[in-house]
Amino acid sequence: MFRSVARSAAGKNLLRRGYATESVPDRKVAVLGAAGGIGQPLSLLMKLNPLVSRLALYDIANTPGVAADVSHVNTRSEVAGYVGEDQLKQALEGCDVVIIPAGVPRKPGMTRDDLFNINAGIVKSLCAAIAKYCPNALVNMISNPVNSTVPIAAEVFKKAGTYDEKKLFGVTTLDVVRAKTFYAGKAKVNVADVNVPVVGGHAGITILPLFSQATPKANLPEEDIKALTKRTQDGGTEVVEAKAGKGSATLSMAYAGAIFADACLKGLNGVPDVVECSFVQSTVTELPFFASKVRLGKNGVEEVMGLGPLSDNEQAGLESLKPELKASIEKGIKFANQN
């Protein structure tokens, strides 16, 4: 749906493509952190998705205004805003998909550990509520650091007795979106036709785009591939610097989050051959969680797909990312098991 919207040339065509007249199942989607920098544009994009029938927008403040604003968009879904912990139950009950962009951005004087502890605490609390009120929902984790917040969520669900590895996803789609965009620009091909798998994790060197598997083939020189890889890994920093420290990648992240949620909804609805990259419980490597291509279906993960053939540089990148990714996973597990 979003790819067709993105290619629409005129506003009226965009709106026309946004409406669904065909019969589709009722689906409730919640956005937790809906009033934030990612949450607001993500809420709008989910309102445009014709697969959504009910859209629950939750945050600790300002959600009624966001919900009122978004609710005026003339698309299928009914929108409700919920604010504060006492309304979290209402937001979550009956959800098919829960998207979590909640968290705080890094502020001056705040260390990375400070940021981790705040956001990890938020995720831990929200996941406890998900386990209680909608244990069968597909959970799309956007809150950073994804390499740690997904393991935190898994531990919370295990403690609650609700963990299903097929229903927990770290959203790494922005890495794929960036890899496609940068590759298309360098290869001079139509970006709509490009596919680039991105594996590993969702931070720095743990992000490993597999340009050797990119389609359409462009036979780019090795130095271009190395530059594209580094740019994909540093994409977040590129945006932060362009915004002069006054923001981060909120709009592109919202787009990527909407793309992945749309794929989850299509899978739930029985659309065949829905494949996206995601950070999930995995046996692809020796690490317990790893991002690779995942086939989505009616129960969430239908198949965690292998890495396929890697170039020598990609194989080296895979080995070099493992220690950092392992440490991030262990940090999340340790946090979740405190107290």
Side-chain angles (χ1 to χ4, degrees), residues 77-153:
S77 54
E78 296 178 2
V79 180
Y82 302 94
V83 60
E85 287 186 24
D86 57 334
Q87 295 185 12
L88 185 52
K89 175 183 177 181
Q90 292 171 270
L92 290 174
E93 284 182 330
C95 276
D96 297 286
V97 177
V98 178
I99 314 170
I100 311 180
V104 298
R106 191 174 177 186
K107 297 173 183 175
M110 185 184 287
T111 68
R112 291 189 183 277
D113 280 341
D114 291 337
L115 183 66
F116 172 85
N117 288 330
I118 293 170
N119 285 350
I122 292 169
V123 165
K124 189 175 179 180
S125 175
L126 292 174
C127 287
I130 291 168
K132 189 173 183 181
Y133 300 123
C134 57
N136 296 315
L138 303 190
V139 178
N140 291 185
M141 185 67 69
I142 291 174
S143 303
N144 274 319
V146 166
N147 292 353
S148 298
T149 54
V150 169
I152 288 170

Side-chain angles (χ1 to χ4, degrees), residues 78-311:
E78 296 178 2
V79 180
Y82 302 94
V83 60
E85 287 186 24
D86 57 334
Q87 295 185 12
L88 185 52
K89 175 183 177 181
Q90 292 171 270
L92 290 174
E93 284 182 330
C95 276
D96 297 286
V97 177
V98 178
I99 314 170
I100 311 180
V104 298
R106 191 174 177 186
K107 297 173 183 175
M110 185 184 287
T111 68
R112 291 189 183 277
D113 280 341
D114 291 337
L115 183 66
F116 172 85
N117 288 330
I118 293 170
N119 285 350
I122 292 169
V123 165
K124 189 175 179 180
S125 175
L126 292 174
C127 287
I130 291 168
K132 189 173 183 181
Y133 300 123
C134 57
N136 296 315
L138 303 190
V139 178
N140 291 185
M141 185 67 69
I142 291 174
S143 303
N144 274 319
V146 166
N147 292 353
S148 298
T149 54
V150 169
I152 288 170
E155 292 300 305
V156 171
F157 296 150
K158 286 175 185 176
K159 283 183 182 179
T162 65
Y163 182 54
D164 183 345
E165 69 272 17
K166 295 181 178 180
K167 298 189 175 187
L168 176 60
F169 303 89
V171 180
T172 60
T173 314
L174 181 52
D175 302 325
V176 177
V177 165
R178 286 174 172 150
K180 288 178 177 180
T181 300
F182 303 156
Y183 178 86
K186 182 62 69 173
K188 294 180 170 48
V189 294
N190 185 348
V191 70
D193 299 329
V194 169
N195 196 15
V196 183
V198 182
V199 304
H202 185 56
I205 66 161
T206 70
I207 300 166
L208 183 61
L210 303 182
F211 288 112
S212 70
Q213 298 178 25
T215 55
K217 287 285 184 185
N219 295 317
L220 295 174
E222 194 58 45
E223 59 266 28
D224 285 352
I225 296 297
K226 288 181 179 179
L228 288 172
T229 298
K230 181 159 178 49
R231 190 180 178 198
T232 303
Q233 293 171 337
D234 295 342
T237 302
E238 182 178 318
V239 174
V240 169
E241 290 177 351
K243 290 187 175 182
K246 294 181 180 178
S248 58
T250 53
L251 301 175
S252 53
M253 183 63 250
Y255 169 78
I259 289 288
F260 189 76
D262 181 61
C264 286
L265 289 165
K266 286 175 179 172
L268 287 174
N269 290 350
V271 176
D273 297 319
V274 179
V275 176
E276 294 286 344
C277 291
S278 183
F279 186 67
V280 296
Q281 182 173 311
S282 173
T283 57
V284 167
T285 70
E286 65 272 23
L287 300 176
F289 296 91
F290 198 82
S292 64
K293 289 194 290 187
V294 173
R295 190 181 310 280
L296 300 167
K298 292 184 177 181
N299 297 305
V301 175
E302 292 279 313
E303 178 189 3
V304 179
M305 303 167 77
L307 300 181
L310 305 181
S311 70

